[in-house]
Amino acid sequence: MAELADLAVSLSFLLGIVVFSEVARRTALYLFPNRNWIIYALESISTFQLCACTHELKLLAEVGGLEPRISLTLTFLISVVYGLSFRGAICNPTGALEQLYLGTLTRRCALTRISCQLIAAEVARRVMPHAWALALSDLHEQHSLTGFTCTNSPVNAPLLQAAAVELGCAFVMHTAGFTVEKVEEKYRVPAIAAVITTLVYAGGHLTGAVFNPALAFSIQFPCPGNSFAEYSFVYWIGPILGMTGSLLLFHEVIPAISGKSTISKHLNSNGLEMKKMK
């Protein structure tokens, strides 16, 4: 179990990442309020926040031995923070592809957002070791002994089963995004955070339950034990198929049966309002 001092330092790290990212977002919006490209800056900043915070949470759980109930509580709380602070950023390539299909994003906007997400994911992966190198806690100092890298594969199941887990998680997540509009607006972010936490509890021991290709690229792909192609199959193909299945169910199958659309094109996969972007 992580020592209280280590937990306190990690919580401070998480708070620092959130504050830094929020200041960066506010500064960008203040300096460039009417620029079309500002959404890409927000996408990059918010994806960096997501990946950097998840790196620290993963370290607490895997190296620090944080109790599952505390880890899940932190997952819920940080997911609420994400939902309240991302300012229209999607932070997930499958979400961008979903919005491209629905017509909310143009092809150029979707591809640019995905590029920003992957670049920010790589930046987070490279920045966090420098933060850990400060050795502000015993946990960070212990992590330095492995070169700030994970030592085992995050895939703890056969590849097909692992991909099915990521597929299922993505399917549930996108389905929640489609149906959350029925929930009162002030409860939408906590509802999505609860879904994320449940998925992490259900599938975390098998794949980490990432269901986000950009996030997986940052926190899972550097780990040994599997090839790039194998990780791509589990953490990229799985979530994309899960998103596609949810999209087809709500956009094609159910409307064909009921005769009416079940998807609001003004909500993204996080259940938050979106505007048409060029």
Side-chain angles (χ1 to χ4, degrees), residues 60-141:
L60 272 173
E62 295 184 358
V63 180
L66 190 67
E67 289 185 11
R69 60 186 179 87
I70 300 177
S71 181
L72 290 171
T73 300
L74 290 177
T75 298
F76 175 81
L77 293 176
I78 205 70
S79 297
V80 170
V81 172
Y82 296 157
L84 294 176
S85 64
F86 276 5
R87 298 177 182 271
I90 302 173
C91 305
N92 189 335
T94 62
L97 293 175
E98 170 192 291
Q99 293 303 316
L100 173 63
Y101 178 86
L102 294 175
T104 305
L105 298 181
T106 64
R107 182 181 302 175
R108 186 182 71 173
C109 182
L111 292 177
T112 305
R113 282 189 182 236
I114 292 172
S115 298
C116 290
Q117 292 162 4
L118 293 174
I119 292 171
E122 177 64 18
V123 170
R125 182 167 71 181
R126 293 180 180 273
V127 165
M128 288 306 291
H130 293 286
W132 291 326
L134 298 174
L136 297 179
S137 71
D138 292 340
L139 177 61
H140 292 168
E141 188 171 357

Side-chain angles (χ1 to χ4, degrees), residues 108-255:
R108 186 182 71 173
C109 182
L111 292 177
T112 305
R113 282 189 182 236
I114 292 172
S115 298
C116 290
Q117 292 162 4
L118 293 174
I119 292 171
E122 177 64 18
V123 170
R125 182 167 71 181
R126 293 180 180 273
V127 165
M128 288 306 291
H130 293 286
W132 291 326
L134 298 174
L136 297 179
S137 71
D138 292 340
L139 177 61
H140 292 168
E141 188 171 357
Q142 178 184 351
H143 195 36
S144 69
L145 299 177
T146 62
F148 304 111
T149 60
C150 51
T151 57
N152 299 307
S153 172
V155 178
N156 297 308
L159 287 180
L160 283 177
Q161 181 182 352
V165 169
E166 290 294 312
L167 184 156
C169 288
F171 178 86
V172 172
M173 187 65 223
H174 284 271
T175 298
F178 290 144
T179 58
V180 77
E181 64 177 321
K182 300 175 183 178
V183 178
E184 190 175 346
E185 186 172 359
K186 65 181 179 180
Y187 298 125
R188 287 176 183 171
V189 170
I192 291 296
V195 172
I196 293 173
T197 304
T198 302
L199 292 174
V200 170
Y201 172 77
H205 63 291
L206 295 175
T207 64
V210 182
F211 49 91
N212 180 330
L215 180 58
F217 180 68
S218 186
I219 69 171
Q220 307 291 56
F221 276 54
C223 297
N226 293 91
S227 67
F228 183 90
E230 290 171 335
Y231 282 137
S232 298
F233 176 70
V234 172
Y235 293 110
W236 286 1
I237 302 302
I240 290 174
L241 291 178
M243 176 274 296
T244 303
S246 179
L247 195 59
L248 291 177
L249 175 65
F250 279 83
H251 195 67
E252 302 292 344
V253 177
I254 294 179

